[in-house]
Amino acid sequence: MLIDHPLLGPRDAAEFVILGDAGLIDRPDWQAEDAARLFHDYQHLRDNPAGGHRELWFHEQGDRSWLVVTRNTVTHEIVKVELARDVAIARERDR
Amino acid sequence: MRYSALQILRQGLTGNRGWKPVWREPDPKPHYDIVIVGGGGHGLATAYYLATVHGLTDVAVLEKGWLGSGNVGRNTTIIRSNYLLPGNEPFYELSLQLWEGLEQDFNYNAMVSQRGIVNLYHSDGQRDAAARRGNAMLLAGADAVLLDREALQRKCPYLDFDNERFPIKGGLYQPRGGTVRHDAVAWGYARGADRRGVDLIQNCEVTGFDIRDGVCRGVETSRGAIGADRVAVCVAGSSGRVMGYAGLRLPIESHVLQAFVTEGLKPAIPGVITFGAGHFYVSQSDKGGLVFGGDIDGYNSYAQRGNLPTLEDVCEGGMALMPMIGRARILRIWGGLVDMSMDGSPFIDKTPVDGLLFNGGWNYGGFKATPASGYCYAHLIATGAPHPVAAEMRLDRFERGAAIDEKGAGAQPNLH
């Protein structure tokens, strides 16, 4: 697989490690009433879709940036690559 | 028809005209007591034990393809019970005991071959871990022998014992481990269940559940709606997709695991050998092919095929362990979907929906578990209570802080 890095262009997926579902950006509020349940769900439960999947990849053997890759889990086709930083800022997760 | 040597003789003398199809092909009835979703090894074993142990035969097994078309026909056929943790080891030991009596029990030749499995160690620390694991196995009633370098050299003289980086110091040996003809397991269980009245319905894909007021009353399928008092899902690899129809999120990701077979060779590998320094394991089939595998590809996938970097990585492990494997040529490669769970251990449990039960999360160890998985799932379905050896395999174990994490890798499915 080739991942089209927004800054570096197409790179071999072997340079990256995958963390998993991009929902991990949305860390729950630790002060919420039901924080224990929220963190359980955040840490352990997954949508695990067959089809489009947004996931976090880390360019470990490259510029060490985190990417949000939108990839089809049935065909392995990569349709979109964004910097995780941009996604987090857009979701106001920058603190 | 009961299979026996006498039967082979009789059929041979009468032109082999008496052999009958091994199972019926019934149309689905409108309602069953129990519907099992998934006609793989675990689903068929569940149906078999529901019929034989609990006397429940108003049961249908629904399979979207043909029986045994999923992981039971796509694995590397290894059986063993060399686990460490109390939540796992008694379960896998029960499974190995069921394997030992399986062929007599269901009257089918599954070619169960207890040729032994050895896990190599390469350092003092790994030797200590192997001894600890061996003791845990002995405590659970399994067998384990710690082999030193000399004993291992007599068994497998061709291993790279003096490898500069990972010298082989010995191995943890389980003589009762081995291999099984995997397709025959599905066929044997299917035949046994069918003979007792279970309906095996192929080309029948479940497309939804009939859930009203929090109670599951049946399934929607490509062959119409089928009512059921209890619906037991057993579709490891596709668990996320199927349980999604019920609106449930699981502590599971689907990944692809590859396996490889070489051309047929003369007998060289006595049992199963696993590398302790990289992820590589190998056995030799009765046809002579070296059957080997290693890591999963690492990213979520429903594709039933893998990529070449993983093949290269697995072959590098093979070359480091036994350089002679470099002379063998790979004949076939395939991939299967595996449920990778958050702690590397499976689930056999009820769900928050009444009447809907779940079996899955087998990671890449589902084949060896087939008999005990079916046995314990049938127990749960029939009695409503978990079987004692599967009592820890619950969906809520992460909430309770009771993960069964053999490897200690944490909630990162692609590392287990």
Side-chain angles (χ1 to χ4, degrees):
Chain A
M1 291 194 301
L2 286 176
I3 295 177
D4 193 6
H5 194 300
L7 305 177
L8 304 175
R11 309 297 303 185
D12 188 338
E15 295 177 5
F16 296 78
V17 291
I18 179 173
L19 181 70
D21 194 311
L24 291 169
I25 289 176
D26 296 320
R27 192 178 173 82
D29 176 8
W30 64 275
Q31 289 179 306
E33 284 284 318
D34 52 351
R37 185 185 60 79
L38 292 176
F39 270 93
H40 164 266
D41 294 358
Y42 167 81
Q43 176 83 333
H44 296 106
L45 301 186
R46 299 287 182 268
D47 290 335
N48 193 23
H53 188 225
R54 277 160 63 88
E55 52 204 17
L56 284 164
W57 290 72
F58 177 53
H59 199 190
E60 187 173 43
Q61 316 258 341
D63 72 345
R64 305 185 70 78
S65 58
W66 282 94
L67 305 181
V68 173
V69 175
T70 307
R71 189 177 58 90
N72 187 313
T73 58
V74 178
T75 63
H76 296 166
E77 182 194 11
I78 293 172
V79 293
K80 193 175 179 188
V81 184
E82 306 151 272
L83 287 173
R85 178 177 184 279
D86 295 343
V87 175
I89 289 171
R91 297 180 67 80
E92 300 183 351
R93 302 295 314 184
D94 55 329
R95 285 182 299 280
Chain B
M1 179 192 296
R2 192 175 163 76
Y3 293 157
S4 64
L6 189 66
Q7 192 66 250
I8 292 173
L9 191 66
R10 181 181 297 150
Q11 295 297 333
L13 292 173
T14 55
N16 284 312
R17 283 187 294 270
W19 301 115
K20 295 280 181 292
V22 171
W23 53 76
R24 301 165 292 129
E25 297 209 13
D27 288 321
K29 293 194 288 182
H31 186 275
Y32 292 91
D33 283 350
I34 299 163
V35 162
I36 296 169
V37 183
H42 291 218
L44 294 167
T46 304
Y48 176 79
Y49 291 116
L50 278 172
T52 56
V53 178
H54 303 283
L56 298 170
T57 55
D58 189 20
V59 176
V61 179
L62 310 182
E63 166 56 45
K64 77 170 174 183
W66 63 93
L67 295 182
S69 56
N71 291 333
V72 73
R74 309 177 78 86
N75 56 73
T76 45
T77 80
I78 296 164
I79 60 169
R80 58 186 174 88
S81 68
N82 53 2
Y83 284 73
L84 174 68
L85 298 177
N88 272 335
E89 178 59 12
F91 173 86
Y92 288 102
E93 177 53 22
L94 170 67
S95 204
L96 195 51
Q97 288 171 14
L98 289 170
W99 281 118
E100 288 172 327
L102 185 66
E103 293 164 302
Q104 299 305 319
D105 187 40
F106 67 18
N107 180 231
Y108 201 86
N109 182 10
M111 296 165 68
V112 176
S113 170
Q114 293 182 288
R115 52 185 72 181
I117 177 168
V118 61
N119 298 96
L120 304 182
Y121 59 82
H122 307 264
S123 65
D124 291 348
Q126 278 192 315
R127 184 188 178 281
D128 290 347
R132 180 183 176 213
R133 178 177 296 259
N135 285 330
M137 291 160 64
L138 294 173
L139 284 172
D143 57 324
V145 183
L146 199 62
L147 299 180
D148 60 13
R149 181 183 154 121
E150 286 68 34
L152 189 62
Q153 254 171 335
R154 282 194 295 276
K155 264 183 169 329
C156 314
Y158 42 77
L159 299 180
D160 190 6
F161 283 88
D162 296 314
N163 185 296
E164 290 288 331
R165 179 66 183 86
F166 298 113
I168 297 168
K169 305 280 193 182
L172 179 62
Y173 181 52
Q174 184 178 28
R176 287 163 62 243
T179 60
V180 179
R181 169 84 177 91
H182 53 187
D183 296 313
V185 176
W187 300 333
Y189 276 126
R191 172 173 170 268
D194 178 84
R195 290 174 71 188
R196 289 165 179 84
V198 173
D199 282 358
L200 309 176
I201 299 162
Q202 306 184 69
N203 300 308
C204 180
E205 180 173 359
V206 168
T207 55
F209 298 99
D210 176 12
I211 298 172
R212 280 171 279 163
D213 305 326
V215 181
C216 185
R217 299 168 193 278
V219 291
E220 316 286 340
T221 77
S222 55
R223 296 178 65 174
I226 301 173
D229 297 338
R230 279 157 289 179
V231 176
V233 175
C234 202
V235 295
S238 298
S239 294
R241 179 151 46 175
V242 173
M243 296 309 278
Y245 299 146
L248 297 177
R249 297 172 80 222
L250 301 172
I252 286 172
E253 291 179 0
S254 293
H255 285 258
V256 62
L257 173 65
Q258 302 188 66
F260 315 92
V261 176
T262 70
E263 60 196 329
L265 302 166
K266 289 188 175 177
I269 314 254
V272 184
I273 304 170
T274 74
F275 193 23
H279 200 160
F280 175 84
Y281 57 91
V282 63
S283 64
Q284 189 166 17
S285 79
D286 292 334
K287 286 192 288 187
L290 303 184
V291 184
F292 62 96
D295 270 327
I296 56 174
D297 277 35
Y299 43 80
N300 295 45
S301 175
Y302 282 90
Q304 283 196 329
R305 60 186 160 74
N307 274 324
L308 291 173
T310 304
L311 165 64
E312 189 177 17
D313 182 63
V314 171
C315 289
E316 283 170 356
M319 290 298 290
L321 174 67
M322 40 166 43
M324 72 173 186
I325 202 172
R327 303 299 295 270
R329 282 170 293 192
I330 293 177
L331 205 59
R332 293 188 291 130
I333 302 176
W334 67 93
L337 304 185
V338 291
D339 277 6
M340 296 303 294
S341 71
M342 288 292 156
D343 58 359
S345 294
F347 307 94
I348 302 176
D349 202 0
K350 298 177 189 175
T351 70
V353 180
D354 273 351
L356 180 63
L357 299 97
F358 178 70
N359 174 325
W362 291 99
N363 297 273
Y364 31 59
F367 178 69
K368 76 177 87 65
T370 304
S373 170
Y375 196 89
C376 294
Y377 202 23
H379 187 277
L380 177 69
I381 296 165
T383 68
H387 189 280
V389 299
E392 301 296 319
M393 297 173 176
R394 313 298 284 277
L395 282 164
D396 69 348
R397 64 175 180 254
F398 303 105
E399 273 171 89
R400 293 183 286 112
I404 314 171
D405 194 340
E406 290 273 338
K407 206 170 167 183
Q412 185 64 39
N414 59 0
L415 296 185
H416 288 290

